[in-house]
Amino acid sequence: MKHKKIIIIIFVVILILIITFVIIKMNRKNPDILTIYGNIEIRQVDLGFRVEGRVKKLLKEEGDEVKKGELLAVLDDISYRAKYEKSLEDIKLYSAQNDNAQSVYKRNIALCTDGTTSEQKCEELIRNKEASCAKLESEKKQNRIYKDDWDNTKIYAPNDGIVTTRIVEEGAVVNLSSPVYTISLNKPVWIRTYISEKNLGNIKYNMKALVYTDSIDPKTHKKRKYNGRIGYISPVAEFTPKTVQTEELRTDLVYRIRVYVDEVDKYLRQGMPTTIEINLKQEDKND
């Protein structure tokens, strides 16, 4: 009976030692894996009209997805369209006047060379020809300006993204370049993070990285994981920002880096905290 108890005690002790060893091994840091922390940043764009006027129609609400080239907003364009159409009529008129001046010049220029027509008359022919041509060209340039102004009464999405802010409402009068929408672009998405000086020499451009968010994927019951790469390394050191969180004592100086996410989805949002793991022993195809 006593031997049986001793065997049980030994078994329990061995089991405890095995569990302790496993836990220590699981919690032991891999020296080849650099773990840093940062926040997601997404490029945002303020969109406005390149002309002033009254907002006629806004086609998107906050949170709406937009595609590149999609119409977002329209100004009341009556005055701009009228200027453009009036300019087209003026071009027709000045074109006819120019054709007539050119014709008169061609018919009478020969008389200038043999002295039949006075010098004053010849100079007048040349002035009329050049003036009618210049007037026509000037109106054509003005017509292109009117056309651009008319086209700029519409706002189109510069890239795929999401409307984060609708700044004005229909009926509002806006000035030149006054922001109407703020759009958060789908790409590029990067993590702003910082690296200590002692680790700076272990990283380089295009090194692969794994990016984890705190969100748990309901399908896998694990943190969402993304593939990334180092796309920017600051050449200048700066004092450690208060927002930086590390597992070790903060150093006085750090370097800002960007880790770009390759495959972006709708679950990555501005400001989200992330954990980044970089394998310092990864192979470099360029080496």
Side-chain angles (χ1 to χ4, degrees):
M1 188 70 179
K2 186 182 282 187
H3 292 293
K4 192 173 183 180
K5 286 182 179 181
I6 294 173
I7 293 173
I8 293 173
I9 293 172
I10 293 173
F11 176 77
V12 172
V13 170
I14 293 173
L15 183 61
I16 292 173
L17 290 175
I18 293 174
I19 294 174
T20 303
F21 175 78
V22 171
I23 292 174
I24 292 174
K25 189 174 181 180
M26 289 177 63
N27 291 330
R28 183 180 297 168
K29 294 181 182 179
N30 186 341
D32 297 331
I33 301 297
L34 173 63
T35 302
I36 51 180
Y37 305 89
N39 296 85
I40 290 176
E41 288 192 353
I42 299 174
R43 191 161 290 158
Q44 293 186 325
V45 180
D46 289 334
L47 301 179
F49 296 101
R50 294 178 63 185
V51 293
E52 60 183 16
R54 182 178 63 83
V55 179
K56 182 178 181 180
K57 189 177 294 184
L58 294 172
L59 304 174
K60 294 295 180 180
E61 299 287 346
E62 292 178 353
D64 288 350
E65 293 186 2
V66 299
K67 297 295 183 182
K68 182 178 181 179
E70 186 176 1
L71 181 64
L72 304 180
V74 179
L75 277 184
D76 187 343
D77 64 350
I78 293 177
S79 62
Y80 295 102
R81 184 175 69 251
K83 288 180 181 179
Y84 173 70
E85 292 175 348
K86 173 65 167 56
S87 180
L88 289 178
E89 295 298 324
D90 289 342
I91 287 176
K92 291 180 181 179
L93 175 62
Y94 297 150
S95 180
Q97 292 176 351
N98 182 60
D99 290 344
N100 182 64
Q102 298 293 333
S103 178
V104 171
Y105 173 80
K106 289 178 180 178
R107 289 199 310 268
N108 292 277
I109 189 61
L111 300 176
C112 294
T113 56
D114 60 9
T116 304
T117 303
S118 66
E119 184 177 347
Q120 181 179 358
K121 184 67 174 178
C122 291
E123 290 178 354
E124 185 178 349
L125 285 171
I126 296 173
R127 284 197 303 270
N128 289 341
K129 167 181 168 293
E130 292 177 349
S132 63
C133 183
K135 195 172 185 180
L136 176 60
E137 291 302 316
S138 176
E139 189 59 34
K140 286 181 178 179
K141 290 180 181 178
Q142 189 63 49
N143 177 262
R144 289 193 288 270
I145 293 174
Y146 289 146
K147 181 63 166 61
D148 288 341
D149 288 345
W150 188 20
D151 290 341
N152 288 326
T153 59
K154 298 179 177 65
I155 296 177
Y156 297 92
N159 281 297
D160 296 351
I162 297 175
V163 176
T164 56
T165 310
R166 174 168 154 161
I167 301 170
V168 302
E169 293 299 325
E170 293 179 358
V173 177
V174 295
N175 296 321
L176 174 69
S177 298
S178 295
V180 175
Y181 283 115
T182 299
I183 291 182
S184 178
L185 303 182
N186 288 349
K187 293 182 179 180
V189 174
W190 68 85
I191 290 89
R192 172 179 46 83
T193 185
Y194 298 84
I195 190 168
S196 63
E197 187 175 4
K198 68 178 184 179
N199 287 315
L200 182 64
N202 293 326
I203 64 169
K204 53 190 171 183
Y205 286 99
N206 288 323
M207 282 188 76
K208 295 180 180 179
L210 292 178
V211 178
Y212 298 88
T213 66
D214 291 340
S215 303
I216 303 298
D217 189 337
K219 295 181 179 179
T220 62
H221 303 291
K222 297 179 180 179
K223 290 184 177 182
R224 294 187 182 276
K225 183 174 70 172
Y226 302 87
N227 293 320
R229 57 184 173 79
I230 298 176
Y232 172 79
I233 304 173
S234 175
V236 180
E238 55 189 280
F239 287 106
T240 310
K242 293 181 180 180
T243 55
V244 172
Q245 298 177 356
T246 59
E247 294 180 350
E248 58 188 21
L249 188 63
R250 294 178 179 176
T251 56
D252 292 333
L253 293 174
V254 292
Y255 291 79
R256 179 165 52 92
I257 68 172
R258 285 181 180 179
V259 176
Y260 285 88
V261 178
D262 295 330
E263 298 177 358
V264 179
D265 62 21
K266 59 185 178 181
Y267 299 109
L268 294 176
R269 294 183 174 88
Q270 177 76 27
M272 287 180 67
T274 60
T275 301
I276 304 152
E277 292 183 354
I278 302 172
N279 186 348
L280 301 179
K281 282 193 172 182
Q282 60 186 269
E283 295 182 1
D284 189 343
K285 294 181 181 180
N286 296 322
D287 289 344

